[in-house]
Amino acid sequence: MAEDILRAKRKSKITCYRRLFPEIVIIIIIVPTAIFYPIYQLTRLLILVLWSFFSVLYFLLWKVLATVVAPLKRIDKKKKDYKIAREILKLVCNHIDENSSFTGSDHPCYTRPILEAVRRDAYEVVNEILSRLPKVIHNKNIDGHSMFQMAVLNRSENAYNLICRSAERRDLSVIDSSKNNILHLAGRLAPSFVLSRDTGAALQLQRELQWFKEVEKFMLPIEIIDKNMKKETPEMMFTREHKHLVKEGEEWMKTTAQSCSITAALIITIVFAAAITVPGGSSQETGFPLFRKEIAFTVFAVSDAISLFASSTALLVFLSILTARFSEEDFLVSLPRRLMIGLCVLFLSTSAMIVAFSAILFLVFCDQKAWIMGPIVGLACVPIAVVVTLQFPLVVDLYRSTYHPFLLAGRNEPSINRQSRFSKKRS
């Protein structure tokens, strides 16, 4: 009897649970949804309101500043001119398409403009014409150079990345009248107006090496060692064409490293002397500094140590530049990276030295008056701002050119994939 009663109770519980199961599931699903869905909608609404507010604020602020600040005026004018030029380009192309039924590659209205656009790296014009007439990519100039060859010769990076998406393997294997393949042309020295875009001969040579290495990726192994009519391989041509640029890059790099190493040595001398000469003196009984419990003294000690270690590191980095081989390959990554690290560490040591001097100036001579901190901080920011203004553009150029080169940004992946498919077919 007892077992029957227990079984009946279990069955009744199971039956009850089965009946309540849909309600429990509904409660579990609906209750959190009912709670969090309004919160989600309110969050979306808040984000939309904030985005709209900041968009309007940005628009109004830009319009106000664009009418007052001269540099922003020029930027705003350039943006407007760019939009107008794009519209004119589309109107002209539409007019040509409407009044011309020519479908061949040597279009009378598109050939010269697209070749000149490739030479000047006007990739918007190249893109617009190629989208309307893809066959025009096979045109050549008076010297017999194709669009791809012209892009390499004139270092037109935007046009190069654009043409790579549409070029075929046979466009990369063409040779000119002197039996120069596309890698030979990449080994030539770039025009002067292209070289002047980069800061210093070292970065100019780095850009030339990046071009050569990038074009080399598309070449077959046999094409890399091909010889032209002068019995020169592409690498031999690159060495001959860039011989003077290598010397100029070496001189520029050594001059910069020597100047910075002198500065680092002076900072080491100053901060080391400040470290061993304790400001305010030491206690005759214990030998500890008298101001060791002051916050300003702690700031001085930490800043002085940072400045000493950073300037020592910078000096060693610049010495490694001065003792380098200065071969062509060193200008690709090694030397620019060392110079960038040295400049950054030197800036850190200079800033720490100024902070240390400001802290000890406040501690020793200002009798710990809080209002004097304002002038001290203001004067301390002047040399730091000067260093940032003068050296920061060079550091930015070094970083961009070394770690974010224009040709390695992933914009030419379709052509790389195309070459790999071609290689598979050959195999």
Side-chain angles (χ1 to χ4, degrees):
M1 292 294 293
E3 293 180 357
D4 294 338
I5 294 172
L6 290 174
R7 288 176 183 175
K9 287 182 178 180
R10 288 175 183 174
K11 288 182 180 180
S12 62
K13 287 182 180 180
I14 293 172
T15 305
C16 182
Y17 289 152
R18 287 177 179 176
R19 291 177 180 176
L20 294 176
F21 182 75
E23 287 80 359
I24 294 173
V25 172
I26 292 173
I27 292 172
I28 292 174
I29 295 175
I30 292 178
V31 171
T33 304
I35 294 173
F36 291 107
Y37 185 74
I39 298 175
Y40 168 72
Q41 293 294 338
L42 289 174
T43 306
R44 287 187 59 187
L45 181 62
L46 180 62
I47 293 173
L48 181 62
V49 171
L50 291 175
W51 181 82
S52 302
F53 172 74
F54 284 111
S55 298
V56 173
L57 182 63
Y58 170 77
F59 178 77
L60 295 176
L61 185 62
W62 173 261
K63 288 298 182 182
V64 171
L65 293 177
T67 57
V68 178
V69 184
L72 293 181
K73 280 184 180 180
R74 291 193 292 268
I75 294 174
D76 189 58
K77 185 177 182 301
K78 287 183 178 180
K79 290 175 65 177
K80 292 179 180 178
D81 293 343
Y82 176 78
K83 291 181 180 179
I84 294 172
R86 288 292 300 270
E87 293 176 359
I88 293 174
L89 174 63
K90 291 183 179 180
L91 290 174
V92 171
C93 291
N94 290 334
H95 181 73
I96 292 173
D97 293 341
E98 291 173 359
N99 295 276
S100 176
S101 58
F102 190 87
T103 58
S105 60
D106 193 10
H107 197 283
C109 298
Y110 283 149
T111 301
R112 290 186 61 186
I114 195 171
L115 292 175
E116 184 65 19
V118 171
R119 191 181 73 86
R120 294 179 175 270
D121 199 21
Y123 65 96
E124 296 93 346
V125 180
V126 178
N127 186 30
E128 187 69 26
I129 296 177
L130 284 179
S131 63
R132 296 171 182 269
L133 189 64
K135 293 181 180 180
V136 79
I137 196 174
H138 303 299
N139 288 341
K140 296 183 179 181
N141 64 355
I142 300 175
D143 299 327
H145 292 142
S146 64
M147 290 175 55
F148 194 81
Q149 290 174 320
M150 289 182 62
V152 174
L153 276 172
N154 295 280
R155 306 298 191 261
S156 304
E157 56 263 23
N158 294 308
Y160 170 85
N161 285 308
L162 186 62
I163 295 172
C164 276
R165 299 171 182 172
S166 305
E168 299 177 358
R169 187 63 186 83
R170 60 188 178 91
D171 296 325
L172 308 180
S173 302
V174 294
I175 58 175
D176 59 10
S177 57
S178 300
K179 294 186 178 180
N180 293 316
N181 60 23
I182 195 70
L183 193 57
H184 282 97
L185 301 181
R188 287 186 181 179
L189 186 65
S192 58
F193 70 91
V194 177
L195 292 175
S196 61
R197 298 173 186 171
D198 297 307
T199 305
L203 292 184
Q204 294 172 2
L205 181 59
Q206 183 190 39
R207 183 58 59 93
E208 291 289 280
L209 284 166
Q210 289 172 350
W211 266 102
F212 189 81
K213 296 296 183 182
E214 177 66 19
V215 176
E216 190 178 21
K217 295 178 182 178
F218 300 109
M219 309 304 294
L220 298 175
I222 190 63
E223 294 173 338
I224 297 176
I225 58 175
D226 276 348
K227 293 184 179 181
N228 57 10
M229 293 183 65
K230 296 182 180 180
K231 304 300 180 181
E232 289 181 330
T233 62
E235 189 174 353
M236 293 168 61
M237 176 177 279
F238 183 90
T239 302
R240 177 176 59 82
E241 290 277 337
H242 296 81
K243 179 172 59 177
H244 297 291
L245 191 60
V246 171
K247 292 182 180 179
E248 293 176 2
E250 180 180 352
E251 293 177 0
W252 181 84
M253 192 69 72
K254 283 185 176 180
T255 303
T256 306
Q258 286 175 355
S259 303
C260 294
S261 60
I262 292 172
T263 305
L266 290 174
I267 294 175
I268 291 173
T269 305
I270 294 171
V271 297
F272 183 78
I276 61 176
T277 306
V278 180
S282 303
S283 175
Q284 295 182 355
E285 297 178 356
T286 60
F288 293 118
L290 297 176
F291 295 124
R292 70 181 187 277
K293 295 182 180 180
E294 300 291 337
I295 298 177
F297 185 82
T298 304
V299 173
F300 161 76
V302 173
S303 302
D304 193 81
I306 292 174
S307 180
L308 179 61
F309 297 144
S311 56
S312 301
T313 304
L315 182 61
L316 294 175
V317 172
F318 291 128
L319 287 177
S320 69
I321 294 176
L322 294 174
T323 56
R325 299 179 305 162
F326 291 100
S327 63
E328 293 176 357
E329 294 293 332
D330 292 339
F331 286 93
L332 186 60
V333 175
S334 177
L335 290 175
R337 181 173 56 192
R338 292 182 192 180
L339 183 59
M340 181 180 61
I341 293 173
L343 289 174
C344 292
V345 178
L346 183 62
F347 170 72
L348 176 63
S349 65
T350 305
S351 303
M353 179 187 66
I354 294 172
V355 171
F357 176 77
S358 302
I360 210 63
L361 185 67
F362 173 77
L363 181 64
V364 176
F365 299 103
C366 298
D367 198 20
Q368 298 187 6
K369 296 178 181 179
W371 64 270
I372 303 181
M373 281 296 296
I376 292 176
V377 172
L379 293 174
C381 290
V382 173
I384 296 176
V386 171
V387 173
V388 170
T389 304
L390 298 179
Q391 297 296 333
F392 187 70
L394 178 58
V395 175
V396 172
D397 291 340
L398 287 167
Y399 178 78
R400 287 180 178 176
S401 183
T402 304
Y403 295 104
H404 296 282
F406 60 97
L407 290 170
L408 305 179
R411 290 178 287 182
N412 49 0
E413 289 180 358
S415 58
I416 295 176
N417 296 333
R418 186 183 298 112
Q419 183 187 5
S420 62
R421 291 196 298 268
F422 176 80
S423 302
K424 290 179 181 178
K425 289 180 181 179
R426 288 179 61 93
S427 60

